[in-house]
């Protein structure tokens, strides 16, 4: 497969993966562009591995992690706008999905990466372990902790919403 064919067939999915990892559409596009520029220079070696997609995914995960480590994150957080939605309204499913992804973005980096690769990219644990360069038990531990954290966050929200305490 040539580099051009790879970008044509997998480019959009790489941007979606980067968006889920980074939480920002513009940063995702920049990450993918940087990764593809580096991959282009080494494409013969990457395609010779027989698994160019896994290799480029790993480059993307590492590039996103490096972005945070290098202190390029100079953005100032702002309070998310609150908008009461009618339960069962047309937008309620979109709002719920967006809210879930906002909770996912609060997770530590590796936990978030495991969930995105497992549930969005539909990869098995061995592929995730290869991409994140860790062991299978580590992948499972990150997934277990991430899901427990999301359940806990949701339970606290529901308790606050309905006046209970937790």
């Amino acid at each position: 497969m040539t580099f051009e064919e790879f970008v044509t067939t997998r480019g959009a999915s790489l941007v979606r993966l980067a968006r889920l990892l980074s939480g920002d559409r513009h940063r995702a596009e920049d990450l993918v562009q940087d990764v593809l520029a580096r991959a282009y220079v080494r494409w013969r070696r990457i395609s010779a591995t027989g698994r160019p997609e896994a290799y480029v995914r790993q480059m993307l995960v590492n590039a996103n992690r490096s972005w945070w480590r290098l202190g390029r994150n100079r953005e100032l957080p702002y309070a998310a706008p609150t908008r009461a939605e009618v339960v069962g309204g047309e937008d309620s499913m979109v709002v719920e999905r967006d809210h879930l992804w906002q909770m996912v973005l609060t997770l530590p980096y590796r936990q978030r990466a495991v969930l995105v690769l497992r549930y969005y990219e539909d990869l098995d644990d061995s592929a995730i372990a290869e991409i994140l360069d860790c062991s299978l038990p580590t992948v499972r531990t990150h997934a277990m902790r991430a899901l427990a954290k999301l359940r806990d966050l949701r339970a606290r929200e529901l308790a606050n919403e309905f006046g209970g305490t937790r």
Side-chain angles (χ1 to χ4, degrees):
M1 173 183 293
T2 68
F3 180 76
E4 291 79 14
E5 291 170 341
F6 177 80
V7 172
T8 301
T9 59
R10 299 301 301 158
S13 67
L14 290 172
V15 172
R16 286 190 302 268
L17 173 61
R19 185 179 189 286
L20 292 171
L21 289 172
S22 68
D24 180 77
R25 179 175 55 102
H26 301 293
R27 184 171 51 229
E29 291 169 352
D30 290 344
L31 284 170
V32 171
Q33 183 176 354
D34 291 344
V35 164
L36 289 177
R38 285 187 281 130
Y40 178 75
V41 175
R42 298 181 225 144
W43 187 249
R44 279 190 191 171
R45 191 172 37 163
I46 291 171
S47 62
T49 65
R51 300 186 51 168
E53 186 173 346
Y55 192 95
V56 173
R57 278 183 182 158
Q58 185 173 15
M59 288 176 70
L60 188 58
V61 167
N62 291 339
N64 185 53
R65 183 178 7 198
S66 294
W67 184 86
W68 284 102
R69 284 184 179 165
L70 294 175
R72 294 181 188 159
N73 186 7
R74 305 273 188 250
E75 298 171 0
L76 299 174
Y78 65 93
T82 57
R83 186 175 113 185
E85 294 293 329
V86 177
V87 175
E90 289 180 21
D91 297 334
S92 64
M93 291 298 288
V94 174
V95 170
E96 285 291 322
R97 190 172 335 150
D98 183 57
H99 182 64
L100 173 64
W101 280 111
Q102 292 303 317
M103 289 192 318
V104 168
L105 290 173
T106 67
L107 295 172
Y109 173 76
R110 292 198 83 156
Q111 290 178 10
R112 182 174 65 238
V114 167
L115 290 186
V116 168
L117 291 169
R118 180 184 274 185
Y119 294 108
Y120 179 74
E121 289 291 318
D122 199 27
L123 298 177
D124 62 8
D125 289 347
S126 60
I128 296 169
E130 181 182 338
I131 289 170
L132 296 179
D133 194 29
C134 63
S135 67
L136 285 173
T138 301
V139 169
R140 293 180 187 125
T141 300
H142 283 310
M144 177 192 66
R145 289 179 180 166
L147 293 173
K149 175 76 171 182
L150 292 175
R151 280 191 292 271
D152 186 53
L153 286 171
R154 186 64 181 145
R156 288 179 191 206
E157 285 178 353
L158 290 174
N160 289 335
E161 186 176 323
F162 294 108
T165 58
R166 179 168 167 134

